């Protein structure tokens, strides 16, 4: 592919702000896409981007989740799920060093070689990729930024003496459990993060740690890929892992990727081992200095696939790369599944021709989330292909319902629930192929709901097993309290005990069930958590709520089903309001931050929805002068004074005027306005934004329905009147369309007294209003 647009490779150690810089750069373009290595990280970036521009402009695409609004500007994806045929101005790939990964590397290599943005492309990753990026993408400009904080070795230490805010890293599930049990006994408890956890469970576990409810995190290398945590120290409890082929030592660069989670932004971090384990000679110094041997070869697979037959497809998948720095991936799961299915005569008979072979290949690419016997996965693929290639060309709904129903069970231990979550991910992935199932949206909702229930149950089991509940104040609570006191942090708000919480339930307190659950999970006699309306489910329902579920009044208060959540507040500009969260004291800090993120995204969507007529793609064809007019209308929430746009109006072409008129923009002699934004609902939303931006007492009251004008109140900012569509003329704030109509009548010589009813004012005020309109 010819690299027509600039390419930048941002390479360096962790905590250099690579992903942050890429997000900022993407948002500087009209459209963009970023590919990320994990769906957990994709969701984290999606949350950050939607806080800036709203959910209406951002698509989230992973193998198991597709949230695509009507007209997205930005796409946040896992690397494998990127819609590579979609053209965007800016494109970025994160953690590009994964191009050397045995299983996934060929996908990252393909993106490195072939994926480009129209105007700009960024590749983000480790410094070890510098030689191969220079060789394979010679036009790339390689830049590096220093780490924002210092990372230093603390040597080996006993588990019982780890400092607060530590993450202990192991590479097998049994070892993670064993360490978490020891921390529960010695330090009061720990949160647990495994790669097999769903995003919902991972978020709930991380919230325990981030809020200070536990001071320790036990994790696999799942924390190594860009997840932002308040970790000050990383302690390795093991240095070897099973990588799908066998047990091997982690190389220094891999250890550095994980150790780099310690110390975020400007806060320094430390790393070490759990005694008696120690790092090999020279490794600690290499991690501190961020110096590692370069990557020598990347995994590769041809992107030019021959679908004329199964054998032709297999041959193209096994084609050898020409560059010596590329190595053919020889054990990819999808290729292995295809080879195994090719041995079945019935499948060979069905898979004839481009379309059938292409369908078989799509089926083979269903990930083996369960990681059980390979034969079991292949058998499932064979059944799916058999149904999809049959007369109905879709999966049997009853067969699928029976398989899904087997998974919908929140009973069992931690490992059982993890296995069920892996299983339901398969069916979520399948349901996102709309051509494969009838009522795809219904199946997606059903499988997501099951994953949510399993995730909530798993979080409860993890808390029960790994967070201490001894009598009185737990050792965890004391340790956390001591750490917060030493740092000068404010103490956490008091939570009700079980008796008080149950009394709140009886009294009908709106958050009583949440409070009762928190009380039951608090230190004290063991008790089973109550099913139903617990904190995690409520928070997730808010985070996942569609824009239409939120209500907004003219004072800027945001609610869901009459429950106050927050209030629009003054932000950087009128079009970028902030949000002040309601107290919601029943929620922990992590939960409150997630709710706040969703409300900020709602505020961005509110502006996007309001100004939709001015942000239509068709208006990109406007001249520079017309774009200036649109800008002024945006800044006035749909209204602008004609005199302030005189130069631009003089340069408008007939094509400009036609395009503007098609979007409802009226170019008057006195007022420019958008007709759609003079409707009642739009006026109320404009007023809510004004209530956040203008000082208290300087905001007008909401005009009565159908009012053509209101008396201009003393002390109210005239700009606020104009921003709700009622610019001030003389003693009256007149609706923009009416003001323009009256002005045209006055220009024709109509007496002001006769127009008082048009103006909606007493006859005695008409001359003064008319004079202002003509002035």
């Amino acid at each position: 592919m010819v690299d027509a647009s600039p390419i930048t490779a941002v390479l360096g150690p962790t905590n250099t702000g690579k992903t942050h810089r890429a997000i900022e750069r993407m948002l500087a373009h009209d459209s963009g896409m970023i590919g990320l290595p994990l769906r957990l990280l994709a969701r984290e970036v999606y949350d950050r981007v939607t806080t800036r521009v709203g959910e209406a402009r951002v698509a989230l695409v992973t193998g198991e989740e597709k949230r695509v609004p009507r007209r997205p500007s930005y796409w946040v994806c896992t690397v494998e799920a990127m819609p590579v045929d979609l053209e965007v101005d800016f494109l970025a790939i994160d953690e590009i060093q994964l191009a050397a990964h045995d299983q996934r590397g060929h996908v990252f290599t393909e993106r490195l070689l072939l994926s480009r943005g129209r105007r700009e492309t960024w590749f983000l990753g480790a410094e070890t990729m510098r030689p191969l990026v220079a060789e394979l993408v010679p036009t790339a400009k390689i830049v590096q930024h220093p780490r924002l904080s210092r990372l230093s070795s603390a040597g080996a230490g006993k588990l019982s003496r780890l400092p607060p805010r530590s993450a202990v890293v192991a590479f097998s599930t049994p070892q993670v459990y064993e360490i978490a049990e020891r921390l529960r006994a010695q330090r009061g408890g720990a949160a647990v993060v495994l790669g097999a956890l769903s995003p919902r469970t991972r978020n709930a576990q991380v919230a325990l740690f981030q809020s200070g409810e536990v001071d320790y995190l036990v994790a696999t290398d799942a924390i190594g890929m860009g997840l932002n945590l308040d970790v000050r120290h990383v302690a390795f409890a093991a240095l070897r892992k099973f990588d799908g082929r066998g047990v091997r030592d982690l190389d220094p660069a891999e250890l550095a990727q994980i150790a780099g989670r310690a110390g975020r932004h400007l806060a320094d971090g430390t790393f070490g081992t759990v005694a008696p384990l120690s790092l090999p000679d020279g490794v600690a110094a290499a991690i501190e200095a961020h110096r590692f041997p370069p990557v020598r070869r990347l995994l590769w697979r041809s992107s030019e696939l021959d679908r004329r037959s199964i054998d032709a497809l297999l041959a193209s998948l096994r084609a050898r790369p020409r560059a010596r720095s590329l190595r053919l991936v020889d054990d990819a799961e999808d290729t292995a599944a295809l080879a195994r299915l090719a041995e079945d005569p019935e499948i060979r008979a069905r898979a004839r021709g481009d379309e059938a072979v292409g369908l078989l290949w799509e089926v083979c690419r269903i990930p083996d989330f369960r990681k059980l016997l390979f034969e079991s996965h292949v058998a499932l693929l064979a059944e799916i292909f058999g149904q999809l290639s049959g007369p109905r060309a879709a999966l049997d709904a009853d067969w699928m319902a029976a398989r899904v129903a087997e998974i919908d069970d929140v009973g069992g231990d931690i490992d059982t629930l993890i296995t069920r979550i892996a299983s339901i991910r398969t069916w979520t992935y399948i349901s996102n192929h709309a051509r494969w199932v009838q009522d795809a949206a219904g199946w997606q909702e059903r499988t997501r709901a099951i994953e949510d229930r399993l995730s909530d149950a798993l979080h409860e089991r993890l808390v029960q097993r790994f967070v201490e509940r001894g009598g009185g104040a737990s050792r965890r609570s004391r340790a956390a309290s001591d750490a917060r006191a030493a740092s000068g942090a404010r103490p956490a708000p008091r939570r009700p005990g079980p008796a008080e919480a149950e009394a709140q339930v009886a009294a009908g307190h709106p958050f009583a069930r949440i409070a009762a659950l928190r009380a039951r999970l608090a230190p004290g006699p063991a008790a089973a958590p109550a099913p139903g309306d617990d904190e995690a489910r409520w928070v997730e329902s808010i985070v996942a709520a569609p824009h239409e579920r939120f209500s907004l009044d003219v004072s800027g208060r945001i609610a869901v089903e009459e429950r106050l959540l927050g209030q629009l507040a003054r932000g950087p500009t009128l079009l970028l309001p902030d949000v002040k969260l309601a107290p919601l004291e029943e929620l922990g800090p992590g939960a409150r931050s997630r709710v706040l993120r969703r409300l900020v995204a709602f505020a961005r969507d509110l502006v996007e929805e309001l100004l939709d007529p001015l942000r239509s793609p068709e208006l990109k064809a406007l001249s520079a002068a017309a774009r200036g007019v649109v800008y002024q209308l945006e800044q006035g929430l749909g209204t602008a004074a004609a005199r302030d746009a005189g130069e631009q109006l003089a340069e408008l072409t007939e094509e400009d005027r036609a395009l503007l008129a098609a979007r409802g923009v009226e170019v008057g002699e006195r007022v420019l306005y958008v007709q759609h934004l003079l409707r009642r609902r739009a006026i109320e939303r404009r007023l809510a934004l004004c209530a956040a931006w203008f000082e208290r007492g300087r905001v007008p009251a909401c005009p009565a329905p159908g009012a053509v004008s209101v008396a201009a109140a003393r002390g109210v900012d005239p700009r606020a009147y104009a921003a709700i569509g009622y610019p001030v003329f003389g003693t009256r704030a007149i609706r923009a369309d009416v003001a323009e109509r009256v002005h045209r009548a006055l220009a024709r010589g109509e007496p002001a007294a006769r127009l008082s009813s048009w103006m909606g004012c007493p006859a005695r005020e008409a001359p003064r209003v008319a004079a202002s309109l003509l002035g």
Side-chain angles (χ1 to χ4, degrees):
M1 182 178 193
V2 178
D3 299 331
S5 60
I7 300 173
T8 302
V10 186
L11 307 178
T14 57
N15 196 27
T16 57
K18 294 187 291 291
T19 306
H20 171 75
R21 295 173 197 274
I23 292 171
E24 293 298 313
R25 192 62 182 165
M26 179 175 74
L27 294 178
H29 289 272
D30 291 337
S31 64
M33 182 186 304
I34 183 167
L36 300 148
L38 300 171
R39 71 168 178 155
L40 298 174
L41 184 54
R43 182 61 200 234
E44 184 175 300
V45 170
Y46 172 80
D47 287 348
R48 289 173 60 185
V49 175
T50 54
T51 301
R52 296 281 299 278
V53 302
E55 293 190 353
R57 297 184 62 195
V58 188
L60 173 66
V61 181
T62 70
E64 303 119 85
E65 186 174 11
K66 289 182 174 64
R67 303 182 64 164
V68 183
R70 181 171 59 91
R71 200 168 65 207
S73 301
Y74 305 106
W75 297 73
V76 179
C77 316
T78 50
V79 171
E80 285 85 349
M82 293 173 68
V84 291
D85 294 334
L86 182 70
E87 289 192 356
V88 291
D89 291 338
F90 176 88
L91 184 140
I93 307 293
D94 200 8
E95 305 292 359
I96 196 64
Q97 74 274 5
L98 285 177
H101 190 276
D102 284 343
Q103 280 288 329
R104 306 176 63 199
H106 63 280
V107 180
F108 284 78
T109 301
E110 181 178 317
R111 302 291 184 264
L112 177 69
L113 297 176
L114 301 177
S115 295
R116 299 291 184 267
R118 276 190 302 245
R119 298 183 181 276
E120 193 170 7
T121 303
W122 278 27
F123 298 112
L124 322 173
E127 171 68 17
T128 54
M129 285 288 291
R130 179 184 287 265
L132 287 184
V133 169
E135 174 190 338
L136 298 171
V137 192
T139 60
K141 175 186 177 183
I142 299 177
V143 300
Q144 185 176 16
H145 299 283
R147 183 177 163 92
L148 297 174
S149 63
R150 184 184 175 200
L151 184 64
S152 56
S153 173
K158 292 183 178 180
L159 193 67
S160 60
R161 295 183 179 178
L162 284 180
R165 315 313 295 161
S166 289
V168 184
V169 180
F171 300 100
S172 71
T173 300
Q175 190 178 19
V176 167
Y177 292 167
E178 185 265 335
I179 293 169
E181 292 275 17
R182 289 170 60 189
L183 284 172
R184 177 182 185 272
Q186 296 173 3
R187 311 302 294 269
V192 171
V193 173
L194 305 167
L197 298 185
S198 66
R200 188 178 177 110
T201 306
R202 190 276 283 179
N203 288 340
Q205 287 290 301
V206 167
L208 282 176
F209 178 77
Q210 293 289 83
S211 65
E213 295 192 43
V214 294
D215 264 332
Y216 300 92
L217 180 73
V218 187
T220 62
D221 49 351
I223 68 167
M225 286 295 170
L227 300 180
N228 293 308
L229 303 169
D230 181 24
V231 173
R232 300 173 192 167
H233 178 72
V234 169
F236 291 96
L239 301 174
R240 293 169 61 81
K241 67 177 287 187
F242 179 75
D243 63 1
R245 294 178 173 179
V247 178
R248 65 171 178 83
D249 293 330
L250 275 81
D251 64 46
E254 291 175 305
L255 294 172
Q257 183 76 25
I258 300 166
R261 295 302 108 196
R264 303 307 299 158
H265 194 51
L266 301 179
D268 292 340
T270 59
F271 66 94
T273 57
V274 176
L277 188 69
S278 61
L279 292 170
D281 291 344
V283 170
I287 293 174
E288 288 180 329
H290 316 299
R291 294 197 185 98
F292 309 102
V295 174
R296 298 297 182 187
R297 301 183 81 182
L298 304 183
L299 275 294
W300 177 89
R301 185 167 73 185
S302 175
S303 60
E304 299 177 0
L305 301 183
D306 186 346
R307 295 179 173 84
R308 291 176 296 173
S309 69
I310 293 179
D311 292 331
L313 177 58
L314 283 168
S316 60
L317 288 167
R318 292 166 177 163
R320 295 282 173 182
R322 295 180 180 178
R324 297 184 63 182
S325 54
L326 302 178
R327 177 170 68 85
L328 176 65
V329 56
D330 56 6
D331 59 352
E333 288 179 352
D334 49 12
T335 305
L338 177 64
R340 184 66 60 87
L341 291 174
E343 299 171 1
D344 187 326
E346 182 178 349
I347 289 178
R348 276 193 169 273
R350 288 175 176 266
R352 296 182 182 276
D354 286 11
E355 186 175 344
V357 172
L359 173 62
L360 177 61
W361 179 234
E362 276 192 271
V363 171
C364 288
R365 299 187 72 182
I366 296 174
D368 183 12
F369 294 113
R370 298 175 298 171
K371 301 298 181 185
L372 301 175
L373 291 174
F374 181 63
E375 289 73 13
S376 175
H377 180 62
V378 171
L380 175 63
L381 300 184
E383 178 69 25
I384 291 171
F385 178 71
Q387 293 189 36
L388 294 178
S389 59
R392 295 199 305 183
L395 295 179
D396 180 83
D398 293 337
W399 172 81
M400 190 168 170
R403 301 296 293 267
V404 169
E406 294 173 355
I407 306 168
D408 191 6
D409 179 2
V410 297
D413 60 13
I414 290 172
D415 291 333
T416 300
L417 291 169
I418 287 177
T419 300
R420 290 189 188 129
I421 287 172
S423 297
I424 201 63
R425 288 178 67 188
T426 300
W427 298 104
T428 302
Y429 182 94
I430 290 169
S431 69
N432 273 287
H433 287 68
R435 294 178 290 113
W436 292 2
V437 294
Q438 298 173 349
D439 186 24
W443 278 109
Q444 291 163 19
E445 182 177 350
R446 181 174 178 181
T447 55
R448 279 198 301 267
I450 292 173
E451 181 175 321
D452 288 348
R453 287 193 292 271
L454 293 171
S455 300
D456 293 342
L458 177 57
H459 173 61
E460 291 170 2
R461 301 295 194 283
L462 291 169
V463 171
Q464 289 171 356
R465 181 169 173 181
F466 299 124
V467 178
E468 182 188 74
R469 297 192 197 160
S474 71
R475 280 167 290 196
R476 174 197 58 79
S477 298
R478 290 199 301 271
S481 177
D482 292 345
R484 284 190 289 270
S487 66
R490 296 174 60 187
R494 187 187 74 82
R495 293 179 184 158
E500 183 180 349
E502 294 300 337
Q504 290 179 350
V505 171
H509 190 282
F511 291 91
R513 293 194 182 206
I514 294 173
L517 175 66
R518 295 182 72 89
R520 279 189 285 270
L521 290 177
D533 198 14
D534 61 46
E535 174 186 317
R537 291 191 180 110
W538 184 81
V539 170
E540 288 297 332
S541 74
I542 297 300
V543 170
H547 182 76
E548 297 75 21
R549 189 178 170 197
F550 296 91
S551 63
L552 179 76
D553 66 16
V554 295
S555 65
R557 292 179 296 187
I558 308 169
V560 166
E561 294 156 5
E562 299 184 358
R563 179 178 294 175
L564 180 64
L565 299 180
Q567 169 90 42
L568 294 182
R570 186 181 176 91
T573 70
L574 175 62
L575 303 184
L576 290 173
D578 282 337
V579 175
K580 180 180 179 182
L581 199 64
L584 300 180
E585 294 178 355
E586 296 80 2
L587 302 184
R592 287 201 298 274
S593 68
R594 299 194 70 212
V595 172
L596 178 60
R597 196 284 313 167
R598 181 63 188 92
L599 297 186
V600 172
F602 166 78
R604 300 293 174 265
D605 286 337
L606 170 73
V607 175
E608 191 68 24
E609 178 188 49
L610 185 70
L611 299 181
D612 180 70
L614 298 173
R615 295 182 174 180
S616 170
E618 291 86 350
L619 296 186
K620 291 182 179 179
L622 291 171
S623 68
R627 289 197 297 272
V629 170
V630 170
Y631 174 79
Q632 291 201 38
L633 284 168
E634 283 192 348
Q635 299 307 302
L637 299 183
T639 307
R643 65 174 178 274
D644 294 336
E647 292 183 9
Q648 291 96 330
L649 292 176
E651 297 178 18
L652 290 185
T653 66
E654 290 301 319
E655 291 79 5
D656 288 334
R657 291 179 180 274
L659 280 172
L660 291 172
R663 300 303 297 169
V665 177
E666 298 289 339
V667 180
E669 294 294 325
R670 292 291 284 148
V671 185
L672 314 177
Y673 62 94
V674 182
Q675 187 66 49
H676 176 75
L677 297 183
L678 296 178
R679 296 176 182 174
R680 181 68 181 178
R681 177 181 170 85
I683 289 172
E684 290 175 348
R685 273 152 173 67
R686 295 168 77 170
L687 190 54
L689 292 169
C690 289
W693 175 251
F694 293 97
E695 296 178 5
R696 180 173 296 185
R698 305 275 285 170
V699 181
C702 187
V708 297
S709 75
V710 295
R714 183 175 300 176
V716 173
D717 195 319
R719 294 173 301 169
Y721 276 119
I724 68 168
Y726 283 72
V728 174
F729 294 97
T731 59
R732 307 293 294 183
I734 306 178
R735 203 173 68 202
D737 58 339
V738 174
E740 191 59 32
R741 179 187 173 199
V742 171
H743 176 267
R744 288 197 297 268
L746 290 170
R748 293 195 304 267
E750 290 282 346
R754 292 184 185 178
L755 301 176
S756 61
S757 61
W758 288 17
M759 302 179 198
C761 68
R764 65 179 180 276
E765 293 184 34
R768 183 174 177 184
V769 174
S772 180
L773 275 166
L774 289 171

